[in-house]
Amino acid sequence: MARQWCDGHSTSILCVGASPGPEGLLASGSEGGEVAVWSQEGTIIGRLTLSGEEDNTGVAFSPAAAGLLYVSHGDTVSTLDPRNLKGTVEEFQGAGEEEINALALNEKGSALAVADDSGAVRVLELPGGKVFRTLRRHTNICSSVAFRPHRPNNLLSAGLDMQVMLWGLQKTRPLWTLNLQDVAEEEDDHQQRPGQLFNPPLAHCVSVASCGNILGCAAEDGRVHLMRIGSGSKLEQQGAVKAHSQGASQAHFINFLSHPYWLATGGNDGQVALWDISKHPVVTPEGKAKPGGTAAPRRKGKSKAKRKEQTQNKAKTPPKAEAEKEEAEGEEEGAAAAGAEEVTEEKPGPKLSISHGDKVNWLCPAVLKGEPSVVVADQSSNLTVYPLSPL
């Protein structure tokens, strides 16, 4: 049975995070700068309204220190003590170049990445908050960031330019870039019915499985785009799950179920779903899939969409200048993405489908009093907790 957690906020909750420690605290942030910290039972431990009263767009507990909670609001990241919400411990003002949309911590708690409206991703050293890297390649709002488990110097970013990028923090250019619009157009060439409309695949939320090699990205086309990273951090394979009838706003891998490939998704259609993608051809390498279970992967060559994009680029930029620009940026960038195999899958459907009824702002998988659960934030000021025990 679903449970409601109430009285923590007076405005719409925008983000939720769970502590990795044995205390298992949860934190939520809402419009107007309200932060609430909850026990596993859903009782309020502390409440605070941050100065400036700007919307809280991300919350993250430090995996290394139980007494540190990071909250993004405006262009600032505030450090709080979740057990004693009397005020901010420290503030990193100007952490983002513009308003921050998301934040992420690496496994060691030694680096904090923030994604902002300018499209930039900044990486801050912890403690102290000194900017270590500024990564600029998104051409629109950067909406989500995630560090790769077991690879503290690898960072994923996704944005409203429909791009997913993998960064090696030693450099300021991506190791590879995947254009979701190219992927979607190629798929739709094969699947689209006359008169059918598709939303563009604006990338909203990127997540990495605990193995560190499988990525999921929730997008406005209702799909969760899946990617597999191979040796040398190359993009080896990509595909998708058609998860929602409207935009998919959330996708989070769950690290406490039977294997690392359980994925919780939420969308603007008011649905919350749980997927087992362990048999998806992106996850199961070619040759190991069960007979008849998947379509044969096909190598993604220079697609129609790619040619179209190149034509558009040529129209905007003189060919010589464009060639020189590409050469300067390094030939390896994007090469992995261009050579990635694209795979499609039969539609097996979710293992659990919940009609939540309201547009999903955030999903947070958590173990609450020993019970696997997913915490849902929507347009209201309350949280809803759904047990995953039916599995």
Side-chain angles (χ1 to χ4, degrees):
M1 287 290 293
R3 302 190 301 280
Q4 289 270 313
W5 290 5
C6 307
D7 304 323
H9 296 271
S10 62
T11 54
S12 180
I13 300 172
L14 303 177
C15 51
V16 187
S19 161
E23 289 177 290
L25 299 178
L26 277 87
S28 52
S30 69
E31 294 173 352
E34 295 177 351
V35 181
V37 175
W38 311 78
S39 73
Q40 292 207 354
E41 293 81 12
T43 54
I44 300 285
I45 288 174
R47 264 193 306 244
L48 178 68
T49 300
L50 296 173
S51 60
E53 299 189 8
E54 292 170 293
D55 294 352
N56 295 323
T57 53
V59 291
F61 286 89
S62 170
L68 289 177
L69 171 67
Y70 298 92
V71 183
S72 57
H73 52 107
D75 65 357
T76 300
V77 175
S78 290
T79 310
L80 310 175
D81 181 346
R83 300 158 303 186
N84 184 24
L85 275 190
K86 300 297 182 197
T88 54
V89 176
E90 194 174 11
E91 279 197 350
F92 306 141
Q93 294 187 340
E97 295 184 354
E98 293 182 17
E99 184 176 351
I100 297 167
N101 297 304
L103 49 75
L105 286 153
N106 68 357
E107 287 178 304
K108 297 177 180 177
S110 60
L112 174 72
V114 297
D116 71 27
D117 276 1
S118 74
V121 177
R122 277 185 169 171
V123 183
L124 283 60
E125 292 177 344
L126 297 175
K130 181 186 174 187
V131 176
F132 162 68
R133 279 280 183 268
T134 301
L135 309 171
R136 291 190 185 90
R137 194 54 66 93
H138 287 285
T139 57
N140 202 326
I141 288 168
C142 186
S143 49
S144 184
V145 281
F147 281 95
R148 270 182 83 189
H150 319 301
R151 303 279 200 292
N153 287 319
N154 271 199
L155 180 70
L156 273 297
S157 65
L160 302 194
D161 57 357
M162 300 176 273
Q163 310 271 353
V164 178
M165 302 182 187
L166 176 67
W167 305 84
L169 295 183
Q170 295 87 349
K171 297 182 179 179
T172 55
R173 65 166 178 250
L175 297 171
W176 53 257
T177 298
L178 181 67
N179 185 327
L180 299 185
Q181 190 171 32
D182 285 358
V183 174
E185 282 184 15
E186 187 160 288
E187 285 183 6
D188 294 343
D189 280 348
H190 298 275
Q191 296 176 6
Q192 190 164 2
R193 296 187 295 274
Q196 191 175 4
L197 297 175
F198 287 100
N199 290 325
L202 313 176
H204 293 308
C205 179
V206 67
S207 179
V208 192
S210 58
C211 66
N213 297 326
I214 303 297
L215 323 176
C217 181
E220 188 63 28
D221 59 0
R223 294 181 175 103
V224 175
H225 295 266
L226 302 174
M227 289 144 259
R228 184 171 80 233
I229 301 176
S231 59
S233 294
K234 290 192 171 91
L235 176 59
E236 200 168 73
Q237 222 165 37
Q238 57 82 18
V241 173
K242 183 73 176 85
H244 294 272
S245 61
Q246 296 179 37
S249 56
Q250 290 282 289
H252 294 272
F253 282 100
I254 300 175
N255 63 8
F256 50 74
L257 292 179
S258 54
H259 57 69
Y261 308 117
W262 288 98
L263 183 69
T265 67
N268 297 343
D269 56 1
Q271 295 292 313
V272 174
L274 187 68
W275 307 81
D276 177 356
I277 62 162
S278 59
K279 305 277 193 310
H280 193 285
V282 168
V283 176
T284 306
E286 188 182 359
K288 293 185 184 176
K290 287 184 180 177
T294 60
R298 55 194 174 86
R299 182 154 295 276
K300 182 174 183 287
K302 202 171 266 189
S303 67
K304 188 180 82 173
K306 194 76 180 170
R307 292 197 299 273
K308 179 177 160 191
E309 184 188 18
Q310 287 172 344
T311 308
Q312 287 171 346
N313 286 343
K314 282 177 184 171
K316 291 179 195 167
T317 316
K320 187 179 176 189
E322 183 66 22
E324 288 171 357
K325 178 178 167 226
E326 283 179 6
E327 195 173 334
E329 286 176 353
E331 291 177 359
E332 78 275 18
E333 183 196 332
E341 289 181 337
E342 180 191 340
V343 289
T344 53
E345 182 200 24
E346 303 300 315
K347 296 179 181 176
K351 296 296 180 186
L352 186 64
S353 187
I354 299 163
S355 184
H356 178 69
D358 199 358
K359 180 182 169 187
V360 174
N361 283 344
W362 204 276
L363 292 181
C364 178
V367 178
L368 301 175
K369 298 183 72 178
E371 183 174 51
S373 307
V374 63
V375 182
V376 180
D378 54 30
Q379 308 295 289
S380 75
S381 58
N382 301 327
L383 293 172
T384 307
V385 179
Y386 293 103
L388 300 180
S389 49
L391 297 169

